Amino acid sequence: MKYSVDKYTHDYFKGKFLKYEGDELERKIKKCSKGLFKIIYFTFMFLFGWLMVLRDTSFCPPIMWGDGELMTVFSDWPYTVMPKYLKFYYIASLSYYLEDLIFHLFQSPNSDYFEMILHHVVTAMLIFSSYFNGFWNIGMFVLMQMDVADIFIGLIRLVIDFARSWIVFTIYVGIMYSFIHFRLIAYTYCVLWKFGLGGRLSVDNFTSIVTIIDFLLICLLGLNIYWFYLLTLMGLRFVFKGKAHDLQNVVSNKDIQINEES
């Protein structure tokens, strides 16, 4: 699917970046095509995870748009009944992060090269460790809370260079909401608090595993806080200087010059 998106949108995006050429032009085109793929993929994954996986449990809390009780998430552990489509959801999520990690390793380093390697390694390790240790009931919260923000991130990267200011600002509001609500508040409540405390109390004989997963979860939270900081800077620059530029995924020398000048 990613190949098809690249192939059939290349000429369209090429026409949007007439001031670029050579490697910089290709980087811009790939950034847009990847943004479009992220929109399609993460929209499907979030809706599938929410409708077919999370809502098939008894512990989808109101903060995740459900009517369940999060306090029951470990009530039957490790014999919690697995939702019918959980395996597909986990496999599809893991395949994305592993494929993107391998692809990313062979690309020329740019501004977010190492942080994305860290993010994909941590996420893949969390998917493996949560599934094989029976903590999928927490792992699916992590995946869905990441997925919804990635929809808006893909959208902003798709249009930031040529869309009208009001469109860019509207998408930016969606990014900030998804980060604050899902990646910071819901993540801290559903994952760090419930798993870090509730999980440790529920799995007395597996505290070393919980400690390792806790460390990975904190690493993921640290990355989200760092990205939220960059997003805040982008918003302030846009409001006070009228300039919409990506500070996290800089792919051309022209973008670097613009960032330094502003």
Side-chain angles (χ1 to χ4, degrees), residues 28-261:
K28 280 288 187 179
I29 294 172
K30 286 186 179 297
K31 181 177 180 178
C32 286
S33 62
K34 186 175 181 179
L36 179 58
F37 174 78
K38 285 170 74 76
I39 295 168
I40 299 170
Y41 173 82
F42 285 112
T43 298
F44 169 78
M45 290 301 292
F46 174 73
L47 292 176
F48 184 87
W50 181 59
L51 294 172
M52 305 301 292
V53 181
L54 186 56
R55 292 183 67 84
D56 194 28
T57 70
S58 61
F59 45 78
C60 179
I63 198 171
M64 289 295 293
W65 302 339
D67 55 5
E69 176 52 63
L70 189 62
M71 295 302 293
T72 64
V73 69
F74 280 115
S75 59
D76 297 321
W77 188 90
Y79 306 107
T80 311
V81 178
M82 184 179 293
K84 181 179 179 180
Y85 297 105
L86 179 85
K87 289 184 178 180
F88 170 81
Y89 182 67
Y90 253 62
I91 292 172
S93 298
L94 180 61
S95 64
Y96 171 83
Y97 287 108
L98 289 181
E99 185 275 336
D100 204 56
L101 172 62
I102 294 171
F103 177 81
H104 190 75
L105 287 171
F106 292 96
Q107 300 303 298
S108 300
N110 56 10
S111 59
D112 67 344
Y113 183 78
F114 294 105
E115 67 197 62
M116 292 310 299
I117 290 176
L118 175 62
H119 173 266
H120 287 2
V121 169
V122 168
T123 304
M125 290 176 67
L126 282 170
I127 293 173
F128 272 114
S129 58
S130 64
Y131 184 83
F132 287 108
N133 290 289
F135 297 126
W136 56 264
N137 46 358
I138 292 296
M140 63 183 184
F141 281 112
V142 178
L143 291 172
M144 270 176 275
Q145 289 157 6
M146 302 299 113
D147 288 351
V148 66
D150 279 323
I151 299 170
F152 292 100
I153 292 173
L155 189 56
I156 198 74
R157 288 182 176 173
L158 175 65
V159 305
I160 191 171
D161 288 297
F162 48 80
R164 295 180 181 273
S165 296
W166 69 267
I167 297 177
V168 173
F169 183 75
T170 301
I171 299 171
Y172 176 78
V173 171
I175 293 176
M176 296 303 283
Y177 168 77
S178 62
F179 255 80
I180 294 172
H181 181 82
F182 288 101
R183 291 200 176 194
L184 297 180
I185 297 175
Y187 181 85
T188 301
Y189 172 68
C190 297
V191 179
L192 289 181
W193 178 78
K194 187 56 192 172
F195 182 76
L197 179 61
R200 190 171 296 277
L201 295 176
S202 302
V203 293
D204 294 335
N205 297 325
F206 298 90
T207 53
S208 59
I209 295 174
V210 174
T211 300
I212 293 172
I213 296 178
D214 278 342
F215 175 75
L216 295 173
L217 292 172
I218 292 172
C219 288
L220 200 56
L221 177 63
L223 284 170
N224 285 325
I225 292 174
Y226 169 67
W227 288 328
F228 181 75
Y229 165 73
L230 291 181
L231 287 168
T232 302
L233 291 182
M234 292 181 213
L236 292 174
R237 173 183 291 186
F238 182 76
V239 171
F240 292 107
K241 296 186 177 182
K243 297 179 179 180
H245 296 293
D246 191 342
L247 298 177
Q248 192 256 340
N249 185 236
V250 180
V251 297
S252 73
N253 293 328
K254 286 185 175 64
D255 291 337
I256 295 174
Q257 292 173 1
I258 291 172
N259 288 338
E260 290 176 347
E261 289 171 1

